[in-house]
Amino acid sequence: MSVIEMIVELQHIRAARERIAGKVERTPIVLSQSLSDRAGRPVHLKLEHHQTTGAFKLRGASNAIAALSAEEKSRGVVAASTGNHGRALAHAAKLEGIRAVICMSRLVPENKLDAIRRLGADIRIVGNSQDDAQQEVDRLVAEEGLVMLPPFDHPDIVAGQGTLGLEIMEQVPDAAAVLVPLSGGGLAAGVAAAVKGVSPRTKVIGISMARGAAMKASLDAGRPVQVEELPTLADSLGGGIGLDNRLTFAMCRGLLDDVVLLSEEEIAAGIRHAYEEEREIVEGAGAVGIGALLAGKVEVNGPTVLILSGKNIDMDLHRRIVCGETIAERAA
Ligand SMILES: *Cc1c(COP(=O)(O)O)cnc(C)c1O
């Protein structure tokens, strides 16, 4: 396949939306009074953490599974996942009545692992990084014939995540900027393709944690590079983009207007604000848009949309953060 054919465009995202209609929720968007007051412009929250399985990943997983042939479905699907993609794939596979095997590293929190097990997927825990988990995926593809559906670097996954961007532009047609949590870039690439396909002047800004921001390091280097994977409050943003990245690196390079990095304290402030002011429970990755606004790290020049991308946080950790435990206390 050529590089050009790999780029996901508006037409693929519209096709994805038809394919997954009835399988995913159209999530609400609400005006945040407190953030709007602070920014002096309307700030809207896309409540995607209310999505079935607790994160947007169900969009991509549902689209990719629906696009498989009957023969591929009979072989089953496999993926490496830090949690939410695995959960989404397990859910979508179960709906479709097909087998799912999920490989993950030991860094994945227990609550995420349990949720996937309960959905009936086979779980393999391998090594200390996403790359180790990926090696097990490659083995299952080669030896057992399973079909790999990766968390982000796949056109049907990106197109599925892009349906979130279509909804945003229908809900806030005059959006000047959309802030997107950024890890492997499946969400950011899909949302940016949809948003800019509909409204070329709307800015799309990626937000990552400073601890191990692989896409940011890769964009700076001009090619996919590896960074050390570190524990972070935004655990769903952990992991590399793949040195052989085929799709999301090029799309993020072409479509994102900026990438902003947050400290752990800034992410914690986002989680706390979501809870105290918006009455929403979000995980670290889902809180980075709020964290970036609170930290003054993005300029707000017009109506702005923040994607609250997931809610799958360990509730004991959430309690400690909203009670004001600092990062230094947590490390001690
Ligand atoms: C996976 C995930 C992200 C990042 O998505 P990418 O496509 O890897 O950039 C952000 N937030 C949550 C909650 C996620 O699960």
Side-chain angles (χ1 to χ4, degrees):
M1 221 184 282
S2 80
V3 170
I4 296 300
E5 283 168 337
M6 288 293 294
I7 298 299
V8 172
E9 292 174 334
L10 201 49
Q11 73 212 46
H12 306 115
I13 299 169
R14 292 202 167 117
R17 177 145 77 171
E18 303 217 336
R19 229 184 256 126
I20 67 176
K23 294 176 180 162
V24 307
E25 297 289 335
R26 179 187 170 93
T27 50
I29 208 158
V30 296
L31 186 76
S32 163
Q33 203 59 60
S34 65
L35 291 172
S36 300
D37 287 348
R38 198 183 275 259
R41 307 276 182 165
V43 175
H44 303 266
L45 307 177
K46 176 66 167 162
L47 304 182
E48 184 65 11
H49 62 304
H50 293 187
Q51 185 57 258
T52 309
T53 70
F56 70 88
K57 292 251 178 18
L58 190 61
R59 295 172 184 267
S62 299
N63 185 47
I65 284 182
L68 295 177
S69 69
E71 188 272 330
E72 287 171 321
K73 284 180 186 167
S74 74
R75 286 191 269 145
V77 295
V78 62
S81 171
T82 56
N84 284 334
H85 175 62
R87 190 189 282 227
L89 207 59
H91 179 88
K94 193 177 182 184
L95 271 190
E96 202 71 38
I98 71 176
R99 179 181 181 215
V101 180
I102 309 299
C103 305
M104 55 182 94
S105 87
R106 289 191 196 96
L107 290 182
V108 174
E110 194 67 27
N111 63 317
K112 295 195 166 183
L113 205 151
D114 279 348
I116 294 170
R117 194 175 279 134
R118 276 199 302 274
L119 285 169
D122 293 346
I123 293 184
R124 307 275 166 93
I125 299 187
V126 212
N128 290 312
S129 72
Q130 278 294 98
D131 292 339
D132 292 341
Q134 186 58 41
Q135 286 191 0
E136 176 68 3
V137 171
D138 295 342
R139 194 189 66 76
L140 288 166
V141 169
E143 294 178 14
E144 297 183 26
L146 281 98
V147 178
M148 178 177 67
L149 290 180
F152 52 87
D153 200 26
H154 185 294
D156 295 327
I157 298 286
V158 171
Q161 319 305 29
T163 62
L164 187 45
L166 288 183
E167 282 176 27
I168 287 172
M169 293 317 292
E170 287 164 4
Q171 291 166 314
V172 185
D174 61 344
V178 179
L179 273 50
V180 190
L182 172 65
S183 176
L187 178 64
V191 165
V195 165
K196 288 182 184 286
V198 173
S199 170
R201 280 164 49 197
T202 301
K203 299 227 180 312
V204 180
I205 298 163
I207 322 278
S208 300
M209 69 293 177
R211 288 170 67 89
M215 183 62 83
K216 169 73 169 144
S218 300
L219 292 172
D220 289 349
R223 64 186 162 80
V225 295
Q226 213 154 5
V227 299
E228 192 189 353
E229 199 176 330
L230 298 164
T232 166
L233 277 181
D235 55 285
S236 291
L237 301 185
I241 71 164
L243 291 178
D244 56 350
N245 188 292
R246 284 151 46 95
L247 178 61
T248 60
F249 172 72
M251 286 186 71
C252 286
R253 182 167 57 181
L255 294 170
L256 292 185
D257 294 281
D258 197 6
V259 175
V260 167
L261 302 185
L262 297 190
S263 71
E264 294 297 299
E265 285 298 354
E266 288 165 343
I267 296 167
I271 294 173
R272 219 175 275 134
H273 178 97
Y275 186 70
E276 300 288 349
E277 302 290 335
E278 318 293 345
R279 310 295 163 113
E280 300 289 345
I281 294 172
V282 293
E283 58 176 286
V288 294
I290 297 178
L293 271 202
L294 293 176
K297 287 191 166 171
V298 284
E299 242 181 283
V300 180
N301 297 320
T304 298
V305 177
L306 316 184
I307 298 176
L308 276 48
S309 56
K311 70 169 181 191
N312 295 321
I313 184 169
D314 178 276
M315 284 310 290
D316 187 47
L317 173 62
H318 188 270
R319 249 186 308 276
R320 285 186 280 127
I321 292 169
V322 299
C323 286
E325 182 181 278
T326 64
I327 303 301
E329 282 164 354
R330 201 171 314 130

